[in-house]
Amino acid sequence: MHGWLTTENFAPTITDGIIELQGVDPKILLQAFAGDLNRVALAGSESLNNIVNIPTIPKSLGWPYVKLYYSAFFYAHAILRAWGRSPSYLRTSDLIRVKQVFQLYTLSPPFKLQTGQYLLSAGSNADSLFIAPMNSGGGTHEAIWRIFQTELSDLQSRVIAAPYTSSDKGAISGALNSAVNLLTNHGANTAWPSAMRNDIQYRQTEGLWFPYTGRKKTVDFARHVTDILCDTKKTEDVLACQNDNLSRFQAACSFVVVLARQMLSDLSQVGGAKSFLKFGQSDFERSLTTNT
């Protein structure tokens, strides 16, 4: 998306205090989203594949949990891009072309175009791009989880209004509600996965670092990750978790990873042999099998 903003042509307008770039080439815009989707999905897969069992340290789970979190973080990015949403950290230099086009049209941007977090959203026909600042506070990680939670809640509303059967609406809406509750710690913190990762990584909580106080073993954790990589773990399996904080954190991260991998698999099947996804996660994971 950085490259798209600095090279493509568009005409600016302002819609409800948000920048709208009109007259864009849908094919080029979708290619930008597709390229970023592959990039972050690859990072999610590599993080997941880097979780290994350490037989000589049977309770060493600090880094494995952090890696699972990062896999979920990257896969959350991939899901959002599949939905036409690109949370992006833009430098002032990335926004020079947007500034120049506003000046050309003798318009003033509705907000200051400076280094910061922005949400780039494709229009319904990908012939426009909306740019809005992300002023929710916190860093990049907190912003991603807030947007992800918002998109899940919006999706739930759209499902309820959709012409589905009552039973289908109930099942889908219920699953989405469980996902939002899991990812926000029952609504207590919209960036809860990031808060848990910070506690584990920087405060060394949950007994995952030496001297170990937890009861979990790396072999059990590795088996859980293997099930995800083998695509035998389903979203309903992890959404049912109602245990302690650490178990729910594992379930929340796993839900995002499993959902993303299922989505990418479905999109790849729809795209067929010419799908852009054949250059992404699936190609990377095939190379791992070939090289072992």
Side-chain angles (χ1 to χ4, degrees):
M1 294 306 301
H2 293 74
W4 186 93
L5 280 173
T6 57
T7 59
E8 290 305 306
N9 296 316
F10 40 75
T13 188
I14 300 170
T15 304
D16 297 328
I18 296 174
I19 291 174
E20 181 181 1
L21 305 180
Q22 299 177 332
V24 308
D25 185 331
K27 181 179 179 180
I28 302 299
L29 180 59
L30 290 175
Q31 285 176 345
F33 271 97
D36 279 355
L37 191 160
N38 266 347
R39 176 176 57 82
V40 289
L42 282 166
S45 178
E46 186 167 344
S47 300
L48 193 65
N49 277 279
N50 264 315
I51 298 173
V52 294
N53 186 17
I54 310 174
T56 56
I57 316 178
K59 289 189 177 182
S60 177
L61 278 167
W63 279 120
Y65 266 95
V66 172
K67 290 176 182 177
L68 179 63
Y69 166 83
Y70 271 100
S71 180
F73 174 75
F74 288 127
Y75 272 125
H77 269 283
I79 292 172
L80 288 170
R81 280 159 178 76
W83 289 342
R85 303 287 184 268
S86 178
S88 301
Y89 180 82
L90 300 177
R91 299 178 179 87
T92 302
S93 58
D94 298 322
L95 296 163
I96 289 176
R97 186 173 179 82
V98 178
K99 288 182 177 180
Q100 291 173 339
V101 174
F102 262 94
Q103 291 172 355
L104 181 64
Y105 280 76
T106 63
L107 292 173
S108 297
F111 46 83
K112 191 172 182 179
L113 293 172
Q114 59 186 359
T115 298
Q117 297 282 344
Y118 294 87
L119 178 62
L120 312 181
S121 304
S124 57
N125 296 316
D127 56 359
S128 63
L129 181 73
F130 295 89
I131 303 177
M134 293 163 57
N135 299 321
S136 55
T140 301
H141 288 250
E142 289 79 8
I144 293 303
W145 293 116
R146 290 189 183 108
I147 289 175
F148 192 72
Q149 179 268 325
T150 297
E151 291 296 323
L152 285 178
S153 297
D154 289 347
L155 179 59
Q156 186 178 23
S157 299
R158 292 195 294 271
V159 166
I160 293 173
Y164 302 148
T165 64
S166 297
S167 58
D168 285 343
K169 283 186 180 183
I172 299 172
S173 178
L176 290 170
N177 187 60
S178 296
V180 170
N181 283 335
L182 187 61
L183 287 163
T184 63
N185 195 23
H186 299 288
N189 185 349
T190 54
W192 182 66
S194 178
M196 279 293 293
R197 190 268 304 193
N198 286 335
D199 284 346
I200 292 170
Q201 185 171 352
Y202 300 117
R203 298 181 181 178
Q204 298 188 343
T205 60
E206 304 297 336
L208 300 176
W209 306 88
F210 186 86
Y212 313 112
T213 57
R215 297 181 179 180
K216 291 182 178 291
K217 294 183 178 181
T218 55
V219 64
D220 298 327
F221 191 80
R223 188 179 300 115
H224 175 83
V225 172
T226 299
D227 288 343
I228 295 176
L229 285 168
C230 293
D231 298 320
T232 58
K233 186 73 69 175
K234 305 301 180 185
T235 52
E236 55 266 29
D237 298 333
V238 290
L239 284 179
C241 180
Q242 296 293 333
N243 299 325
D244 57 277
N245 269 6
L246 185 60
S247 296
R248 287 187 290 108
F249 174 66
Q250 176 180 324
C253 293
S254 298
F255 164 75
V256 177
V257 173
V258 171
L259 175 63
R261 292 174 66 86
Q262 289 178 346
M263 282 180 59
L264 295 179
S265 177
D266 290 344
L267 286 172
S268 183
Q269 289 182 25
V270 171
K274 294 184 178 181
S275 172
F276 70 92
L277 291 168
K278 71 178 182 178
F279 301 106
Q281 168 200 301
S282 59
D283 187 43
F284 166 70
E285 294 183 359
R286 278 194 301 269
S287 72
L288 293 179
T289 304
T290 304
N291 295 327
T292 54

